[in-house]
Amino acid sequence: MVNKVRVHELAKELDLASDELLEVLKKEGIDVTSHLSGIDSDIAELVREQIMEQRAAKVKKAAKRPEAVPPIVADDEEEAEVVAELPPKLRASVKPPRPVKPVAVSEHIEKPKRKEPPPPPSADSKEISLKSPITVKSLAEAMQLRPNALIQELMSQGVFATINESLEGPTVEQLCAKHGFTYVVEKRIKAGGTGEGTQVNPEDIVFEDAEVSARPPVVAFLGHVDHGKTSLLDRIRSSDIVSGEAGGITQHIGASQIEWNNHKITFIDTPGHEAFTSMRARGANTTDIVVLVVAADDGFMPQTVEALNHARAAKVPIIVAANKMDLPGANVDKIFLHMQQNGLTAEDWGGDVGVIQVSAATGDGIQHLLERIVLETEMLELKANPELPVRAVVLESQLEQGHGPTVSILVKNGSISVGDIIICGPHQGKVKALIDSQSKRVKKAGPSEAVKVVGLSGLPECGMVLVGCKDDKQARKLAENREDQARQDQLQSTRRASLDDLFRQIEEENRKDLNVIVKADVQGTSEAVVQSLKKLDCDKIHTDVVHAGVGAVTENDVLLAAASDAIIVGFHVRVNPGVNKLAKDEGVEIRLYSIIYELIEQVRSAMEGMLEPELREVPLGQAEILKIFDLSRGKVIGCRCLKGNIRVGKNARVLRDKEIIYNGVIQSLRRFTDDVREVDAGLECGIRLDNFMDFEPGDIVQCYDYIEEKVKL
């Protein structure tokens, strides 16, 4: 909506009478009726500039005018008589007698104060520092330019912006550099800080005694899908997790801790399916040691290489677990070879990477694997301080009935206890409960321990840092400031329309869209599903995730889907009572899945079903023109079918010297005196084509048809 400025307000600002300003506006062709009329803020700005320029010109002109001869002043009656005898012109320049006590005019009349433009940047600094969002008007004022000139300059660059619209950072920097200025981003006081900025975010606090005692290692099991990562962990933990996973595939990160030979070890199991790439990377970045699980009968597979790259990026030690050694096709030499091809050299081949042969099915080699983990831990000398405020990383976040938002965390340093005040991004709260991997409530968790936290105000994103705060007041203030900052950043990142954007919109008008609402059991799985759906995008159809959330499918989801013409995809979630009936009434489709493969394939099929089938040309036959017959109904060509067959009603083209001279339809076929529907190769026939008569002997008639083919993404 365009802002309006009242005529009387603008007149007061410019130190003019409302009637004077009305006359100026009417002369300029602006439709106003009274001092209460409103004009656009853009027009008001132009009027301000025009009047200020006129006043400046008058001042400049007056400064150049030569000083006038001071008038003669008659001080008494005698002088007045002399003045009376002067010529009329000189007499007119004589002022009346001065009063006995002269008073300066300025003592009684106060000059009106005018709004002065901001001073230009100093010649020494030539720097411009503005608060975001930066508008065209504020930038023009800072550079002492007219807003209209700046708008025209932006238009020449393909950016369309009005005087009150915000500009992107790169655009501001480019404009400043062009006019000889340096744009400096105004630094804000950190959230929760004092006016002097003496207080910092709790995430940024560094403790000198952060490493005082040994802590358990955090070990991540990475590898290709179905190579036995979770099965190995089941054997180590003497649990049975894999049977509870849909399709035998780990759907999200799980963390647990064991004690072996007086050594505590924390394990993280990560998914192997390609849809969970970000979760697998998160697992590598939060761990001290990576166990790369490779099936001895398969060797390295695509996700194995990807997991290896994540471990390398995290710069953590790698142990290769050659699993499924109990199978007849197990071949550890294949693993050695694949390691060598991917930049790893096994100790058996003279390298420094340990390869432990194990079997999750029989338990063979498990003790050797644990020994190797303990050995690597001793070499790393891992330390932490359990007395410090907690610093943890978020593994998962979800909504649970009876608990609300719950967050699975891995404590990196310090300790977390029930009753602690915590903050994670824009979410804060007080720890109401801590639940360990055995679903038991605990009062405290220290370094390298994984627990579920109840009490946070919302669901943070996976990978965010959770820290302790000194009090509830600080946590609330931090959370509010971070929410405000997020909103400001979103406003600042609003893109201006450019010519490229306009052309792109025209190109995308014919592209189809599949709108999807995603609901999942945990935040990490929701991210994985959204990323997988976005990978299905192509030039012909676009997947738009309207909303992605955690928890059951609700009535609000159905109403949103109805409004946006979307389908609802649920993964490991249920549908609330009464929602299915509402979805049926609103015509909204709800699909529930428990395996990632099925979800992706069915959405792919739905997208392919939205696309128009493609027409593919299929050649049917070819004939040569031998003779042309002129009949009362037109010309008929006598032909011999060279190959395939010629059919009535099918498409036909005529070629002369291999160039197409006609494209149409076969109207009729005759064999001798009989009308036929089809003529095969080697036979002669008469052909009548639709609306074409310019035949010559030797021309070739090609018969063809079109078939519809389903489009693949």
Side-chain angles (χ1 to χ4, degrees):
M1 181 176 178
V2 180
N3 294 327
K4 295 284 187 178
V5 179
R6 299 287 185 186
V7 172
H8 70 89
E9 293 175 350
L10 184 59
K12 184 177 180 181
E13 178 185 336
L14 296 173
D15 192 25
L16 292 174
S18 298
D19 294 338
E20 292 178 358
L21 184 58
L22 282 171
E23 291 181 5
V24 172
L25 294 174
K26 289 178 180 178
K27 286 180 180 179
E28 295 296 330
I30 301 170
D31 186 16
V32 288
T33 56
S34 69
H35 65 285
L36 294 176
S37 299
I39 59 176
D40 293 346
S41 58
D42 293 353
I43 297 175
E45 183 64 26
L46 294 175
V47 172
R48 287 192 194 98
E49 292 179 4
Q50 181 179 346
I51 292 177
M52 295 301 291
E53 286 177 0
Q54 290 175 355
R55 288 177 176 174
K58 289 180 180 179
V59 173
K60 189 175 181 181
K61 186 176 180 181
K64 293 181 179 179
R65 188 180 302 159
E67 293 185 1
V69 178
I72 303 172
V73 180
D75 287 337
D76 52 29
E77 294 180 0
E78 185 178 348
E79 290 182 356
E81 292 177 1
V82 175
V83 170
E85 297 178 359
L86 294 174
K89 289 185 178 180
L90 289 176
R91 191 167 61 245
S93 66
V94 178
K95 287 188 175 180
R98 286 193 294 265
V100 177
K101 295 182 179 180
V103 180
V105 176
S106 59
E107 294 180 8
H108 290 277
I109 303 174
E110 184 178 351
K111 293 182 179 180
K113 295 181 180 179
R114 295 180 180 176
K115 186 178 179 181
E116 298 294 335
S122 63
D124 296 332
S125 63
K126 296 289 282 186
E127 290 184 352
I128 291 178
S129 179
L130 296 171
K131 289 184 179 180
S132 60
I134 300 173
T135 63
V136 174
K137 180 181 178 182
S138 62
L139 182 59
E141 289 177 351
M143 294 194 298
Q144 292 292 290
L145 296 174
R146 293 180 60 185
N148 280 355
L150 199 58
I151 291 173
Q152 291 179 358
E153 195 169 329
L154 287 168
M155 291 179 64
S156 66
Q157 298 176 7
V159 179
F160 302 93
T162 61
I163 192 169
N164 291 317
E165 287 192 36
S166 59
L167 299 172
E168 294 181 359
T171 305
V172 175
E173 291 178 4
Q174 185 179 359
L175 290 170
C176 289
K178 185 175 180 181
H179 293 277
F181 294 96
T182 302
Y183 171 60
V184 179
V185 180
E186 184 172 276
K187 296 182 179 178
R188 300 176 181 271
I189 298 174
K190 288 189 174 182
T194 64
E196 294 77 21
T198 56
Q199 186 176 354
V200 297
N201 289 320
E203 293 93 337
D204 301 330
I205 298 176
V206 178
F207 297 95
E208 294 181 359
D209 56 346
E211 299 179 354
V212 295
S213 59
R215 68 170 176 85
V218 179
V219 182
F221 274 51
L222 306 180
H224 191 73
V225 62
D226 200 30
H227 274 202
K229 299 181 297 297
T230 308
S231 299
L232 273 177
L233 278 173
D234 291 344
R235 175 66 67 170
I236 293 172
R237 295 177 297 196
S238 300
S239 60
D240 184 17
I241 304 296
V242 70
S243 61
E245 296 284 358
I249 303 167
T250 303
Q251 308 291 344
H252 35 73
I253 293 178
S256 59
Q257 191 176 71
I258 68 161
E259 187 169 346
W260 180 81
N261 289 353
N262 296 323
H263 295 284
K264 288 185 177 180
I265 305 173
T266 301
F267 291 102
I268 294 180
D269 182 22
T270 59
H273 187 267
E274 63 179 355
F276 298 95
T277 300
S278 61
M279 297 175 68
R280 197 157 53 249
R282 195 155 56 240
N285 291 332
T286 56
T287 59
D288 305 306
I289 300 170
V290 165
V291 175
L292 191 62
V293 181
V294 186
D297 57 339
D298 281 345
F300 274 44
M301 300 296 282
Q303 273 80 59
T304 312
V305 177
E306 187 179 352
L308 173 61
N309 292 333
H310 290 318
R312 280 174 170 161
K315 297 180 180 179
V316 294
I318 299 172
I319 302 172
V320 176
N323 193 25
K324 302 186 180 181
M325 290 301 298
D326 57 304
L327 297 180
N331 183 2
V332 72
D333 289 333
K334 181 195 292 186
I335 295 178
F336 293 158
L337 177 61
H338 289 174
M339 288 174 60
Q340 191 75 27
Q341 292 172 346
N342 288 277
L344 292 179
T345 304
E347 289 178 342
D348 293 17
W349 282 19
D352 57 355
V353 180
V355 179
I356 312 299
Q357 301 181 31
V358 296
S359 171
T362 63
D364 293 340
I366 298 296
Q367 299 299 316
H368 295 298
L369 179 60
L370 294 174
E371 288 175 4
R372 183 64 185 229
I373 292 173
V374 172
L375 176 62
E376 295 284 356
T377 303
E378 292 174 351
M379 296 174 64
L380 290 172
E381 297 182 352
L382 304 171
K383 292 185 178 182
N385 186 353
E387 302 303 320
L388 296 178
V390 66
R391 183 181 183 86
V393 62
V394 175
L395 298 178
E396 283 296 348
S397 60
Q398 57 189 334
L399 286 172
E400 292 190 28
Q401 192 171 4
H403 292 301
T406 63
V407 183
S408 298
I409 64 168
L410 176 68
V411 180
K412 300 292 288 183
N413 207 346
S415 296
I416 185 170
S417 304
V418 175
D420 285 353
I421 305 300
I422 55 175
I423 186 168
C424 186
H427 310 292
Q428 53 81 33
K430 184 177 181 180
V431 179
K432 297 178 181 177
L434 296 174
I435 304 171
D436 65 8
S437 58
Q438 304 298 322
S439 299
K440 297 178 181 178
R441 288 183 177 246
V442 295
K443 293 184 178 180
K444 188 176 182 179
S448 299
E449 291 188 35
V451 290
K452 183 182 292 184
V453 180
V454 181
L456 212 57
S457 60
L459 293 175
E461 296 180 4
C462 299
M464 294 185 72
V465 176
L466 180 145
V467 292
C469 284
K470 63 179 182 180
D471 53 40
D472 184 62
K473 183 178 179 181
Q474 183 198 26
R476 290 181 183 276
K477 187 175 181 180
L478 277 169
E480 290 174 1
N481 289 344
R482 289 173 181 180
E483 287 182 357
D484 292 341
Q485 183 65 47
R487 282 193 291 268
Q488 290 178 5
D489 291 343
Q490 187 175 7
L491 288 173
Q492 188 176 7
S493 63
T494 303
R495 294 182 57 197
R496 300 271 67 82
S498 65
L499 289 174
D500 292 339
D501 295 331
L502 296 176
F503 289 132
R504 191 179 300 111
Q505 290 174 9
I506 294 172
E507 291 176 357
E508 293 177 355
E509 280 183 356
N510 296 326
R511 189 173 68 175
K512 295 182 179 293
D513 292 318
L514 175 63
N515 297 328
V516 182
I517 293 175
V518 176
K519 297 300 290 286
D521 55 344
V522 294
Q523 186 72 29
T525 303
S526 175
E527 292 176 9
V529 172
V530 171
Q531 290 174 2
S532 299
L533 294 178
K534 288 182 177 179
K535 288 181 180 178
L536 297 177
D537 275 5
C538 64
D539 295 337
K540 298 176 182 176
I541 190 166
H542 169 64
T543 306
D544 185 13
V545 179
V546 178
H547 170 68
V550 175
V553 180
T554 64
E555 292 183 356
N556 289 336
D557 297 325
V558 174
L559 296 176
L560 177 60
S564 56
D565 193 22
I567 65 171
I568 299 176
V569 174
F571 191 79
H572 272 188
V573 294
R574 64 183 181 86
V575 179
N576 282 346
V579 173
N580 280 321
K581 182 179 183 304
L582 177 63
K584 186 176 181 180
D585 295 340
E586 296 290 339
V588 173
E589 184 179 3
I590 301 177
R591 298 187 180 186
L592 302 179
Y593 302 92
S594 60
I595 300 177
I596 193 74
Y597 294 113
E598 295 180 359
L599 186 153
I600 302 303
E601 289 305 317
Q602 290 201 20
V603 173
R604 183 194 299 273
S605 298
M607 293 173 68
E608 291 175 348
M610 293 176 64
L611 297 175
E612 296 292 335
E614 290 183 349
L615 295 178
R616 184 170 66 88
E617 182 180 311
V618 179
L620 299 177
Q622 186 171 303
E624 181 184 4
I625 299 178
L626 303 177
K627 193 173 182 180
I628 300 162
F629 302 96
D630 287 317
L631 302 178
S632 58
R633 293 178 296 174
K635 292 184 178 180
V636 175
I637 50 176
C639 303
R640 178 186 291 111
C641 185
L642 302 177
K643 58 182 179 181
N645 53 58
I646 309 297
R647 304 179 193 175
V648 173
K650 300 300 180 184
N651 299 291
R653 63 171 65 97
V654 178
L655 284 76
R656 182 175 300 162
D657 297 328
K658 297 183 179 180
E659 293 184 0
I660 299 175
I661 61 173
Y662 167 79
N663 208 335
V665 179
I666 297 176
Q667 200 169 32
S668 63
L669 283 175
R670 291 182 68 89
R671 279 276 296 160
F672 301 108
T673 58
D674 299 327
D675 288 330
V676 294
R677 304 293 302 171
E678 183 178 321
V679 175
D680 295 326
L683 301 177
E684 294 184 355
C685 62
I687 302 175
R688 184 194 298 278
L689 297 179
D690 181 33
N691 196 26
F692 184 71
M693 301 297 170
D694 187 19
F695 301 106
E696 291 183 6
D699 291 348
I700 300 297
V701 179
Q702 291 181 346
C703 181
Y704 63 96
D705 198 5
Y706 290 107
I707 61 171
E708 292 185 352
E709 284 191 345
K710 188 177 180 181
V711 178
K712 299 288 184 182
L713 295 182

